[in-house]
Amino acid sequence: MNKIALITGITGQDGSYLAEFLLKKNYKIYGIVRRNSTVFNYKNIDHIKNELNLRYGDLTESSSLFSVISEIINDNKELSVFEIYNLGAQSHVKISFEIPEYTTNVDATGTLKLLDCIKNLSENIRNKIRFYQASTSEMYGAVLEVPQKETTPFNPQSPYACAKVYSHFLVKNYREGYNLFACSGILFNHESQRRGDNFVTKKVINYVKSIKNKDSLEIDNNIKPLKMGNINSKRDWGHAKDYINGMWLMLQQDNPDDYVLAMGQTTTVRDFINISFLKIGIKLKWEGEGVDEKGYDEKTNTVLVEINKKYFRPCEVELLIGDSSKARNKLGWKPEYDTLDKLIDDMLDY
Ligand code: NAP
Ligand code: GDD
């Protein structure tokens, strides 16, 4: 069986894990990468780069998408399975407020370009294609139901989430209107050592690792506190490796459908910080309120965490907690990193 996968966002956290996962299943993998002015942006895929077929492209440019899909079809006449995973995105919620138009071009219109390209293929090829869309729990926004599941109405709170809602409904529309095998995975936050440095978990872990080897905080005057935004929001965090497995399972079913992937446990950012510091033997005590709140090392009274309002968002998503019963029952999806503790240990790289 000649199995092909095309991954947009292959250089990102999920794309790189998915590529590793599919290589082990003997897929021939194509990935779309963006040109970068200084370096090859291949950190996450460097170790498998030679086993991948990487092509320059961009979700904002239809011709590049058409060109790579045409090449795949022409060069793989015997293909029997062709899975397309649309993971490419401007994926940072806070930054989407600063570049809303670009975020929309990539995260919303980009999906349209890709789906339209597939729609216009011959029926024979189209019937071999299975499409995965990276939908997100951010679409629930100011949540209208607790916990959130596939039927929970969306109430997006950022340009990023609005763009993802557009893509989510477009996938449903193309599935129903053109009979495409297209699924959306509504994934709650998932993290790993490959998480971008400006997402909250990785930012905290990087800081904790940076002070881990200090002999005494008391005599180290150079310690600069970790600057955080809203530490009271709650997230349902899992491990990226478990979530890419779920994406693949969605495309192996007889019929296309949408599924929530979540751990079903929610934790405040504050507790994520507390637990991460405890892992290196530091117990934090919190004093003050609002932007004046600070986290102190209980032993030495050193200030280790401060609040900086520059990290606040115009609208915040206060609470996310998912119900993934459908994926667990129908797909048999079962995460291996089943506690926050295991996720943090992995991110700390013990
Ligand atoms: P990520 O690490 O930020 O990776 C994003 C990927 O998209 C990168 O490969 C990036 O390329 C690529 N990309 C950005 N702009 C692009 C463009 N204009 N054209 C083509 N590719 C572009 O994100 P992730 O955490 O792996 O998430 C993967 C997908 O799942 C995203 O769509 C995200 O929105 C969605 N999602 C993520 C989570 C989560 O918790 N991680 C939860 C739900 C949904 P460069 O390397 O060149 O920047
Ligand atoms: N990034 C960041 N940096 N977030 C902070 C900070 C900080 O310094 N301080 C507090 N936070 C809070 C944010 O306000 C938010 O409530 C929470 O930490 C999580 O922020 P992120 O890690 O940036 O993730 P996100 O939940 O906004 O979005 C991620 O998950 C979505 C799924 O729900 C991204 O991966 C999205 O692409 C994904 O769709």
Side-chain angles (χ1 to χ4, degrees), residues 205-217 220 223-224 277 280 282 284 304:
I205 295 290
N206 282 346
Y207 182 84
V208 166
K209 284 173 88 167
S210 77
I211 60 169
K212 180 169 104 179
N213 296 322
K214 302 235 181 294
D215 289 337
S216 163
L217 296 177
D220 190 337
I223 288 191
K224 291 198 175 63
F277 275 87
I280 56 162
I282 294 177
L284 291 177
L304 293 177

Side-chain angles (χ1 to χ4, degrees), residues 11-14 34 41 58-59 87 89 91 160 164 187 190:
T11 53
Q13 170 186 260
D14 292 5
R34 299 192 295 166
N41 182 22
D58 199 297
L59 281 160
L87 309 185
S91 72
Y160 167 79
K164 287 286 190 175
L187 273 47
H190 46 280

Side-chain angles (χ1 to χ4, degrees), residues 14 21 56 79 81 93 109 131 159 163 213 217 232 254 287 311:
D14 292 5
F21 175 86
Y56 283 113
L79 74 85
V81 172
V93 174
T109 326
F131 181 87
N213 296 322
L217 296 177
N232 295 317
D254 290 339
E287 283 177 12
Y311 296 110

